[in-house]
Each structure stands twice: as C-alpha cells, then as structure tokens.
Amino acid sequence: MDKFTVLTGLVAPLDRANVDTDQIIPKEHLKSIKRTGFANALFAAWRHDPEFVLNQPRYRGATILLARKNFGCGSSREHAPWALVDYGFRCVVAPSFADIFYNNCFKNGLLPVVLSEAEVDRLFHDCAAFPGFKLVVNLEQQGVSTADGSKSMRFEVNAFRKYCLLNGLDDIGLTLRHAGKIREFEARRKAQYPWYF
Amino acid sequence: MGKTLYDKLWDSHLVHVEDDGTALIYIDRHLVHEVTSPQAYEGLKLAGRKPWRVDSVVATADHNTPTERWEEGMAGVRDPFAKLQIETLDANMREYGAKVYFPFLDKRQGIVHVIGPEQGATLPGMTVVCGDSHTSTHGAFACLAHGIGTSEVEHVLATQCLITRKMKNMRVAVDGPLGRGMTAKDVILAIIGRIGTAGGTGHAIEFAGSTIRALSMEGRMTVCNMAIEAGARAGMVAVDDTTLAYVKGRPFAPAGAEWERAAACWRGLTSDPDAKFDREVKLDARAIKPHVTWGTSPEMVVAVDEAVPDPEREKDAMRREGMERALIYMGLEPRTRMTDIRLDKVFIGSCTNSRIEDLRLAAAVVKGRRLASNIRQALVVPGSGLVKAQAEREGLDRVFRDAGFEWREPGCSMCLGMNEDRVGPGERCASTSNRNFEGRQGEGARTHLVSPAMAAAAAIAGHFVDVREWR
C-alpha cells in the first residue's frame, strides 16, 4: 500500500448527499478478478453527462474529492475505493461516511477526512469561486488547509489507522505479530465451544 | 451494569486490544462468493500466505450466476467475465479448500445469506463475515455479522481475525401486533423511513420488542438484512425458542448431547435487563402499513395509501435537492398517489425476500390470477436450490407459472443485475430486494422496494395496490 503523508491537490466538488457505492462504481464494472483497471468505471453512469464534475476541464487532475454527507453508503465492494484511487484520488473530504466504505479507504491508501458540515460547505463555496482551488492535507498533523494557508481545519483519525497509512503498512503483517495470542484464543474457544469448529 | 447482546458477542471474540481501542476479533464463519474473493486469494498467494483455518469458510457462487439455461452447464454462462469469476472461485476452492463449497449448478447452491442459515453453517453466538454488506442478515441468529471489503476478506483468510473497533449500541424496539398482510419487510422499511439511511451509522442495532419476537426466522432475517440500509453494519435479534427450533437438525448444527450443551449456552445470548443502549428507537407495529419506496434511497419511502411527497414542502435545502433529483430519475410527479404508479417489471427474490415463507406469501396473492397486460416480465428467483425444491413440492412454481411469472434458478439475479436479469432504462420495477439506488437493477432502472405480497399484488394489478384490501 502507498504511504500517505502530505498531499497538496486540486479539489473536485461532488455536490450530492448519500452518494452510494452503486454510483461510485456501477456493478457492470465489477467483473474483474484484479484490483486495478477501474478508473473508467468511476461514476460511470454520471460521466455520460458532459456537465458532470469529472468532465469539466478545470477539475482535470484532481486528487481530492469534496463530497457531502453519508458518502459511500451501500455495498461493501472495495471496487469503490479501488476506482477512486485508480482515477487518481488520494483523499475524500466529507461531513460523514458510511462505515464499511470508510474502513475500506484506509486499506487502499485513500484518506477519508471528516470535517464539519459548515467547513465542508465553505469548501464547496471556495471550490466554485476559485478555479484551481487546492487543499493541503497533512495526515501527521491531522490538518487540512488552503494552499495559501489562509484557512486551516483539523480532523480526527484513529491512531492505528493513521500509523498504518503514514507508513504504508500491511495490516496482515501487523496482525500476525499476535499469531500466538490468536492460536491461544482459538484453542480455548475450541475446547469450550466445539460446535463452532 | 448489564451487557447488551452486542457487548456479549464482542467480549467473547476479543483477541487483542490496542491502547487506542483498535481490536482484533476472532471470526468463526467466513462466507465467500465469486465477486469479492478473487483479489483476496490472489493477495494471499502473492504474499506466500496460507489460509489460517479453511474449515471456517463456506463458499458459493451467487452474484453473477445466470438463473436460466442451467441444463447447458458452464456453457450457459454467456458473460465471459462472469464465467472467469466463477471459474476462479472453483480454482481457489480446489487449491485452498473450505468447510463446504456449493458451486454453480449444485442443488444446494444459492444466495450466500440464504444458504448459511439453511445449512446450519450460521450458528447463534458466531462472528460471521462476508465480502457483502448484507451479511447483517445472519444477525437474526444472535450473531455478530457484517460485511467487509476485499482487503479484509484477505485479512480474515490469513489471520482468522478482523481489525475493528467497537460500535455503539442501538436498540430498535417494535411492539404490538402487525396488521393483516403486514410483513417483516414493511417493518424494516418503516424503521428506515423513521431513522434514515445513516440513522444507524457507527452502531450495531438490536431489533427487539414483541413484534420482532413474533416474527419467524425468515422474517427476522429480512429485518436484519436491511440493517445496512439504515447505516448499521450489523443488526441482530436475541436467541429464543424460535431461533433454536430453526437451527435444530440442520446439516452443520450440533446434534445429540452437544446440541443440548450448545442450546444451553445460546439461551444466554440476550441483552441483560439493565443493559444500556446509546440510542433507543420505538415503533408501534399497529401503525405500520404496507410500504413502498418512491425514490433512489431506501429512506425515500411512504405507505401505499400515501402519495409521492412534494419537495417544495421540504425545508432542508440539501434534502429538497436530493428529492428533486430522485423524482427526475424515477420519472415521478409529486403528489402522485402510490397506487397510481404503473409498473413494467416485477422481481421476487434477493437475500432480503427469497426464502420459502416469502414465496408462500407471494403465491397466496397470485393464486388463480394472471399478470396484468402491462407487466413485461415478472421473475421469481428462489434464494437457494433447496428453497426452490421445497417450493416445487408445495406446487408454488405452478401457481407462479400459471399466472405468467418466470420461475428461475437461484441466485442474486435482478437485485443487482450483475447477470443478464436486468431492468431496462426507464423501466419501472416492483422489487422485493433491498436497494433502490440509481442504476442498481440496470442503468436507468427505476426500482420500488416492497414486500413479496405487495410485489405479487402489483404484478396482478399492473400498479401498486394496498395488499390489505386484496381478496
């Protein structure tokens, strides 16, 4: 997994609430046995519309997606973050995320940032007002600021996830450090509740 | 202080906790299907790792399998990409193994959330995961069950654990008797209508109250299935006699003396009377009417005797825009009576409503009648090969066929349209599935979520009707 430290990137605004995983990647595009190659499938149905945000030249090359509440609701398909990452996004900023999607982002070097409704509102305004609007996302400091430093906001992130993302660490390797504990737990459970085995 | 059911399930699976609350929990049952597993097995192989415990795995192909032409075998799978996913699962099962694998064309194949309980592979007190968000279904058995992403599928394969954090406790209590024709589907749609699609985010929901207690296991599965549509990764129901009666005698359930011991343990899988919930919601079952969604999110739902809402009456600007966008997509005018909405297709199936009880309810409505002339296609897709066989023994297939329905082979089918069972652009479908998102059943498809009885009645009438008045 790629490390995430500091990202300075162009912001693309997606002004809709409850964007679900069927919109992020429609199921026609799930038929691959690989983790890559989903860039063209991202928001596939909406991209037929020439006015759609990703079709506007001013947002070409965006690496930060600005979104509304409950982003990523619906399916557990990891193809959703895969498609966002494949397209070039490294960060999604929204007032709230659906649980499974939020979790899946961290496994793929994609940072989901939760800011308040008011902060997100202001960013939508700035995005519309200033062509080429960029943000600087600093994971170590848990901060989001405008490129000129005039505004800065703080976000929360769980310490373990932050550590893994900052260092690009593989979860499985980290968990296997506890292999002994897992084996002990399993042996105890098997003795006590053999019907689960 | 007392513990909730979720607290008990959490505590009994805790392997390790970090200082910041990040925990490792042990996974008892890992359900695997063809769409979200190939990348996980590939990752395992690339890293030179072996599965930790293959006998925790129960696998089947369900998402993209065709529901006709089974007599042609694999040649009946026309889509080369679907075929590749099915064959990849076959190959991974051959290489790594599982407790049991029901491949495409097997008599016991079916939707993963139908066959787990049916086989007794889902047992009370288990942690159950699957690369599918409707894994919450298994919470009906007092399991901690939720969907995971493919990276987590690989993680569980490699370590038998999941890295997670404890959720908050929420209780949704539904009390009172349900009216005539009301089903578990109407109960869960009413709950989602009340709390919204993000209402349960960050929470594990326990469904409780006399109405839930009175539901069959099939009904409880329908309710827990859609917990994710209320934003909660996990939904659950405490163990009672209904739970034990369902599990007893299933192929993978314990038997004899071991059954007695297990059943005694499972009796404790309830919330303590003094347990504290972070959030509680109460619903009166007597007020629940047949529900129909009108928009592109499950929370956009009304009772069948109501009308499509008017966005102009919505004060919140963000919500108003969402409603307007949904109405354009759905091709509906505000204030249209729900019973005036005419349909093109009907789908009875999915992990929400494809069990024997669902098919019986729908068949009772259909019996002796014919599809309305405007219905272009009506599908009945049983949840598993065993459900299909049972329905055929009861003659339900004849009831549906005689009415003009197509009686298909089991699978996920038109719920998500990954195979060729789709709703066309602009077509309107009454569906017993779980999601009415834009494009869910096919690009441009317009989905209305309803109960099996409501879908069946709509197929006969050609438009939505109040099933309470069905004679």
Side-chain angles (χ1 to χ4, degrees):
Chain A
M1 188 177 72
D2 290 342
K3 288 181 186 179
F4 189 110
T5 50
V6 179
L7 169 71
T8 303
L10 185 68
V11 183
L14 181 62
D15 198 359
R16 300 181 185 212
N18 298 313
V19 170
D20 59 70
T21 49
D22 281 84
Q23 303 317 320
I24 298 172
I25 179 162
K27 76 275 167 184
E28 293 87 340
H29 304 280
L30 302 184
K31 290 173 187 163
S32 166
I33 57 169
K34 302 288 174 199
R35 286 175 195 251
T36 51
F38 297 105
N40 289 329
L42 180 69
F43 300 120
W46 290 344
R47 276 163 79 180
H48 296 321
D49 172 8
E51 295 300 306
F52 181 62
V53 57
L54 298 189
N55 292 331
Q56 296 178 31
R58 65 183 281 192
Y59 300 119
R60 198 158 293 150
T63 53
I64 299 173
L65 185 69
L66 182 63
R68 295 288 187 180
K69 68 176 181 188
N70 200 26
F71 186 84
C73 60
S75 157
S76 62
R77 63 184 69 148
E78 203 157 314
H79 310 70
W82 293 340
L84 285 160
V85 169
D86 254 8
Y87 184 86
F89 287 111
R90 295 296 316 277
C91 175
V92 184
V93 177
S96 61
F97 292 90
D99 287 341
I100 302 179
F101 176 83
Y102 183 79
N103 207 24
N104 283 340
C105 287
F106 285 96
K107 316 284 182 192
N108 294 284
L110 180 67
L111 177 65
V113 168
V114 177
L115 296 179
S116 72
E117 295 253 8
E119 287 167 334
V120 169
D121 243 4
R122 217 168 47 216
L123 292 177
F124 269 99
H125 180 80
D126 291 348
C127 230
F130 309 114
F133 180 70
K134 286 187 175 181
L135 284 174
V136 182
V137 181
N138 186 323
L139 177 58
E140 176 63 47
Q141 293 174 6
Q142 297 180 214
V144 176
S145 54
T146 49
D148 61 5
S150 65
K151 287 188 192 111
S152 67
M153 292 145 279
R154 204 182 139 71
F155 64 91
E156 292 305 317
V157 58
N158 153 261
F160 178 78
R161 282 171 169 153
K162 176 175 168 179
Y163 172 76
C164 290
L165 204 48
L166 278 173
N167 297 289
L169 290 176
D170 163 15
D171 278 355
I172 295 176
L174 289 172
T175 297
L176 287 175
R177 291 178 310 172
H178 302 293
K181 254 181 139 168
I182 301 170
R183 260 183 231 107
E184 273 170 42
F185 179 95
E186 193 167 56
R188 238 180 8 253
R189 188 162 178 78
K190 195 169 182 175
Q192 204 173 358
Y193 309 114
W195 45 85
Y196 292 136
F197 289 82
Chain B
M1 196 176 75
K3 286 181 176 184
T4 65
L5 169 58
Y6 171 60
D7 293 337
K8 291 180 185 180
L9 291 168
W10 175 266
D11 291 349
S12 64
H13 289 88
L14 207 50
V15 174
H16 175 78
V17 195
E18 301 281 347
D19 292 340
D20 71 347
T22 303
L24 273 185
I25 62 166
Y26 187 81
I27 300 304
D28 295 311
R29 177 65 68 230
H30 189 180
L31 304 168
V32 167
H33 67 82
E34 81 280 20
V35 175
T36 56
S37 69
Q39 295 90 346
Y41 280 106
E42 187 195 30
L44 209 62
K45 191 176 294 178
L46 289 175
R49 290 176 172 131
K50 291 264 171 271
W52 182 282
R53 181 159 82 81
V54 290
D55 68 1
S56 68
V57 173
V58 170
T60 195
D62 58 0
H63 274 62
N64 63 26
T65 52
T67 57
E68 50 189 347
R69 301 185 305 273
W70 276 32
E71 65 287 354
E72 295 178 33
M74 275 307 274
V77 186
R78 301 277 200 262
D79 177 347
F81 299 103
K83 195 171 178 189
L84 178 62
Q85 284 182 328
I86 296 167
E87 288 173 344
T88 303
L89 181 61
D90 280 340
N92 285 327
M93 287 298 116
R94 272 196 306 275
E95 180 166 357
Y96 295 104
K99 183 180 189 75
V100 62
Y101 173 43
F102 304 117
F104 173 53
L105 304 173
D106 188 282
K107 280 190 191 65
R108 296 165 298 170
Q109 177 268 358
I111 304 173
V112 69
H113 307 310
V114 174
I115 64 172
E118 184 174 79
Q119 293 292 332
T122 301
L123 295 172
M126 277 184 163
T127 41
V128 181
V129 294
C130 176
D132 185 280
S133 59
H134 292 110
T135 308
S136 57
T137 310
H138 307 265
F141 293 84
C143 291
L144 174 55
H146 58 72
I148 56 176
T150 296
S151 296
E152 290 174 317
V153 170
E154 184 182 341
H155 188 276
V156 173
L157 284 172
T159 70
Q160 210 56 41
C161 289
L162 189 66
I163 301 176
T164 187
R165 296 171 64 78
K166 195 166 180 203
M167 297 179 267
K168 288 182 180 167
N169 279 291
M170 178 168 176
R171 177 159 60 190
V172 176
V174 190
D175 279 292
L178 280 172
R180 175 178 182 270
M182 291 313 96
T183 66
K185 184 65 165 286
D186 301 296
V187 172
I188 188 63
L189 286 173
I191 291 169
I192 294 165
R194 166 81 77 84
I195 69 174
T197 51
T201 302
H203 293 77
I205 299 181
E206 180 176 348
F207 297 100
S210 64
T211 315
I212 303 293
R213 295 257 73 84
L215 291 175
S216 64
M217 288 313 293
E218 284 86 350
R220 294 176 191 184
M221 283 189 256
T222 300
V223 170
C224 290
N225 174 271
M226 289 186 73
I228 184 68
E229 263 55 68
R233 281 210 283 169
M236 60 194 74
V237 176
V239 166
D240 61 9
D241 291 340
T242 306
T243 323
L244 298 183
Y246 181 99
V247 174
K248 195 171 186 179
R250 303 262 161 193
F252 293 99
E258 196 169 71
W259 167 264
E260 298 303 328
R261 279 181 55 214
C265 289
W266 295 339
R267 289 270 178 204
L269 293 170
T270 60
S271 287
D272 295 330
D274 58 341
K276 286 271 182 296
F277 289 85
D278 301 285
R279 193 170 166 212
E280 297 212 50
V281 174
K282 287 187 192 310
L283 270 86
D284 179 0
R286 279 165 289 236
I288 297 176
K289 297 173 179 177
H291 274 60
V292 185
T293 62
W294 57 266
T296 53
S297 160
E299 70 185 20
M300 293 174 167
V301 65
V302 291
V304 68
D305 58 3
E306 296 178 84
V308 174
D310 189 344
E312 285 188 13
R313 298 183 62 178
E314 173 59 54
K315 290 186 183 70
D316 181 273
M318 196 79 208
R319 283 180 71 94
R320 188 166 57 239
E321 275 173 39
M323 289 169 77
E324 284 164 352
R325 193 177 291 127
L327 288 179
I328 292 169
Y329 180 85
M330 293 297 289
L332 289 173
E333 291 297 323
R335 299 184 301 280
T336 306
R337 290 193 326 185
M338 294 309 288
T339 48
D340 288 342
I341 296 175
R342 288 172 68 80
L343 297 151
D344 305 304
K345 285 192 172 172
V346 173
F347 172 60
I348 298 176
S350 87
C351 57
T352 314
N353 282 128
S354 65
R355 298 175 184 85
I356 190 68
E357 179 182 284
D358 301 313
L359 302 188
R360 286 176 188 147
L361 281 171
V365 169
V366 164
K367 193 162 188 164
R369 295 177 161 97
R370 290 279 311 164
L371 290 183
S373 57
N374 57 305
I375 301 296
R376 296 172 197 162
Q377 186 180 40
L379 291 188
V380 184
V381 183
S384 70
L386 296 184
V387 169
K388 181 170 186 254
Q390 174 69 29
E392 288 174 354
R393 276 196 297 277
E394 297 178 18
L396 306 184
D397 58 323
R398 287 254 49 99
V399 172
F400 288 117
R401 283 181 206 270
D402 289 349
F405 284 82
E406 296 174 37
W407 178 251
R408 295 291 188 89
E409 304 290 349
C412 298
S413 181
M414 202 183 269
C415 170
L416 79 168
M418 271 197 77
N419 66 2
E420 62 268 46
D421 305 340
R422 294 197 186 158
V423 178
E427 282 187 329
R428 192 176 296 287
C429 181
S431 178
T432 66
S433 54
N434 40 57
R435 287 191 178 134
N436 52 348
F437 296 156
E438 283 182 32
R440 171 78 178 181
Q441 294 190 289
E443 198 165 334
R446 293 163 171 168
T447 304
H448 295 272
L449 304 177
V450 286
S451 74
M454 284 286 288
I460 304 302
H463 55 85
F464 288 115
V465 289
D466 190 336
V467 77
R468 290 172 298 179
E469 291 157 12
W470 195 258
R471 293 287 183 272

